[in-house]
């Protein structure tokens, strides 16, 4: 699956106006929490973060739900819309990353085409790896978007069997055939890891979960999480960690069980977090996170990179050295979010342009 970190997060599809009628605050809140978790993961490196909140599985599940809803329109129109919303923010961000790597001695080959359409991992040098390693998520999302018209047709022929069989590819890759050691192989691993979660979004949209008996859902969810957790803990020696982001099979099963419970609870108990609107500041924050999710995801690593030399400058100010916890990772976490806020204000308008909305500093 490659050496890139899998702590990233965000359903890159949530760029519709957050003020649009019918927004689901439950899903919006999950996206916001996922973004906070990914920044925390990339700041602190907590191996247990994926077990507490498997953000990637959740985001792919939410994306699958939205995709199934969108495919009520002509498939080609939907795919074009997704590409239009995704690629301009990616190109804008990529311009700065590519130029910076060129300045630092990088000389790309023909693979630079993946910086135009990321159907494979875009190339880069070691100097910029912390910035570009997160692009695996956009690549995986893009492939799911392109495959969704076909996947949805197959799913609707036999929803439950197809959903259960969607865990087979990751089992095959883990135990029978590891796939090619190239960009295609890397994409295959990621698609296999999150295929169940994407199809689970279809199941939620089509009401399959509502028709499933609670006992069956709970047993299957706990069984999947139990197997994923056992595999992660039981293979620490092999992978050097129990971090789900480094263990595809464990990630696939833990995320499958976790997201299944979240989606089923949503359908069963009609959770909508409508009461969030009573907390105006918190509701506003969730709105901003959703409308600027692509910006936050793309720029958060650069914010964390820039936080380091900025904090180094603080050491040169005696008052800062005395009274600020400059050695604390929590301090870097806070500085990182301040810089992320700056990127949201300075670069977030690209998402508005991509969505054919009037550009604004804040949505």
């Amino acid at each position: 699956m490659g050496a890139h970190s899998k702590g990233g997060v965000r359903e890159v599809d949530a760029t519709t106006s957050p003020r649009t009628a019918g927004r689901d605050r439950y899903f919006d809140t999950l996206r916001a929490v996922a973004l906070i978790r990914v920044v925390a993961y990339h700041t602190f490196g907590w191996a247990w973060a994926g077990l507490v909140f498997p953000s990637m599985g959740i985001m792919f599940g939410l994306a699958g739900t939205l995709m199934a809803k969108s495919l009520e329109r002509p498939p080609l129109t939907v795919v074009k819309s997704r590409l239009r919303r995704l690629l301009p923010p990616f190109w804008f961000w990529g311009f700065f990353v590519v130029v910076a790597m060129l300045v630092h001695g990088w000389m790309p080959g023909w693979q630079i085409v993946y910086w135009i359409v990321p159907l494979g991992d875009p190339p880069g040098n070691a100097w910029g790896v912390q910035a570009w390693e997160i692009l695996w998520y956009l690549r995986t999302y893009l492939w799911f978007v392109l495959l969704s018209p076909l996947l949805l047709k197959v799913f609707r022929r036999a929803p439950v069997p197809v959903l259960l069989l969607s865990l087979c590819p990751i089992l095959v890759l883990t135990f029978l055939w590891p796939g090619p050691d190239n960009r295609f192989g890397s994409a295959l691993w990621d698609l296999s890891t999150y295929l169940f979660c994407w199809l689970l979004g279809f199941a939620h949209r089509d009401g399959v979960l509502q028709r499933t008996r609670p006992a069956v859902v709970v047993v299957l969810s706990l069984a999947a999480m139990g197997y994923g957790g056992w595999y992660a803990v039981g293979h620490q020696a092999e992978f050097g960690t129990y971090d789900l982001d480094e263990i595809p099979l464990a990630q696939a099963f833990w995320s499958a069980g976790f997201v299944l419970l979240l989606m089923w609870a949503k359908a069963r108990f009609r959770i909508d977090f409508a009461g969030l609107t009573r907390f105006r500041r918190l509701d506003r924050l969730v709105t901003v996170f959703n409308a600027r999710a692509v910006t936050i995801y793309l720029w958060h690593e650069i914010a964390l990179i820039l936080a380091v030399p900025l904090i180094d400058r603080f050491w040169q100010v005696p008052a800062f050295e005395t009274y600020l916890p400059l050695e604390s990772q929590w301090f870097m976490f806070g500085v990182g979010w301040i810089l992320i806020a700056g990127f949201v204000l300075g670069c977030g308008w690209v998402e508005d342009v991509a969505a054919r909305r009037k550009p604004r500093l804040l949505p």
Side-chain angles (χ1 to χ4, degrees):
M1 185 157 58
H4 41 59
S5 170
K6 294 301 177 68
V9 148
R10 182 328 187 145
E11 188 277 300
V12 295
D13 181 37
T15 50
T16 53
S17 173
R19 299 185 183 281
T20 300
R23 292 288 305 190
D24 192 309
R25 299 312 266 171
Y26 177 70
F27 287 163
D28 287 348
T29 302
L30 286 178
R31 292 189 194 96
V33 173
L35 285 168
I36 295 171
R37 201 230 74 171
V38 68
V39 177
Y41 175 84
H42 286 151
T43 303
F44 301 99
W46 292 324
W48 46 264
L51 293 169
V52 174
F53 194 81
S55 55
M56 296 313 307
I58 290 170
M59 288 297 104
F60 281 117
L62 299 181
T65 296
L66 284 177
M67 195 66 190
K69 178 181 179 181
S70 296
L71 284 172
E72 295 169 2
R73 296 179 287 146
L76 185 59
T77 301
V78 174
V79 171
K80 286 182 177 179
S81 175
R82 291 295 184 274
L83 293 178
R84 190 189 72 241
R85 291 167 182 262
L86 173 66
L87 294 179
F90 166 64
W91 292 334
F92 182 81
W93 171 88
F95 171 80
F96 294 96
V97 175
V98 168
V99 169
M101 290 193 296
L102 290 173
V103 170
H104 286 81
W106 180 54
M107 185 54 63
W110 67 266
Q111 295 92 344
I112 198 172
V113 297
Y114 293 118
W115 280 99
I116 301 174
V117 181
L119 291 174
D121 291 323
N125 61 5
W127 179 86
V129 64
Q130 188 174 343
W132 57 256
E133 67 178 353
I134 62 172
L135 293 178
W136 72 270
Y137 176 73
L138 270 70
R139 179 254 294 149
T140 305
Y141 172 81
L142 181 58
W143 272 111
F144 273 133
V145 166
L146 296 175
L147 293 172
S148 279
L150 176 60
L151 286 175
L152 187 57
K153 287 183 179 180
V154 173
F155 172 79
R156 284 176 172 168
R157 288 182 179 274
V160 174
V162 169
L163 188 60
L164 295 176
L165 287 172
S166 68
L167 286 169
C168 290
I170 191 63
L171 290 169
V172 171
L173 289 174
T174 302
F175 297 113
L176 300 177
W177 176 66
D181 186 19
N182 53 26
R183 282 182 170 84
F184 175 74
S186 181
L188 198 59
W189 273 96
D190 293 332
L191 286 168
S192 299
T193 300
Y194 298 105
L195 178 60
F196 182 94
C197 293
W198 189 270
L199 296 183
L200 194 60
F202 292 175
H204 175 267
R205 176 64 188 173
D206 285 4
V208 175
L209 298 183
Q210 289 177 301
R211 299 191 295 269
T212 305
R213 295 171 59 183
V216 174
V217 172
V218 172
V219 169
L220 290 178
S221 296
L222 294 181
M225 293 174 67
Y227 179 66
W230 167 81
Y231 191 86
V233 173
H235 291 76
Q236 286 188 72
E238 178 182 347
F239 292 95
T241 181
Y242 61 89
D243 188 340
L244 298 183
D245 290 344
E246 304 299 332
I247 311 173
L249 182 68
Q251 177 75 276
F253 276 84
W254 183 270
S255 294
F258 199 102
V259 179
L260 178 57
L261 281 178
L262 283 179
M263 290 287 191
W264 172 79
K266 162 70 177 171
R268 176 76 175 183
F269 302 109
R270 302 182 184 277
I271 304 171
D272 59 10
F273 280 11
L276 185 66
T277 55
R278 292 181 295 177
F279 305 94
R280 296 183 62 181
R281 292 184 178 179
L282 183 59
D283 185 63
R284 174 68 172 155
L285 189 63
V286 170
T287 294
V288 172
F289 267 65
N290 277 267
R292 294 292 183 259
V294 175
T295 300
I296 293 172
Y297 181 74
L298 285 173
W299 291 92
H300 81 272
E301 280 283 27
I302 293 179
L304 293 176
I305 292 170
L306 294 177
V308 175
L310 180 59
I311 293 174
D312 287 344
R313 292 294 185 94
F314 289 175
W315 285 99
Q316 299 173 12
V317 181
F320 289 171
E321 183 180 2
T322 302
Y323 297 107
L324 294 179
L326 301 181
E327 294 182 344
S328 170
Q329 285 183 299
W330 283 102
F331 185 74
M332 187 173 77
F333 184 63
V335 172
W337 275 109
I338 293 173
L339 294 174
I340 290 171
F343 284 125
V344 167
L345 292 173
C347 308
W349 58 269
V350 181
E351 291 195 62
D352 290 330
V353 173
R356 296 180 177 174
R357 298 191 301 256
K358 181 180 179 181
R360 291 180 293 177
L361 283 178
L362 281 178

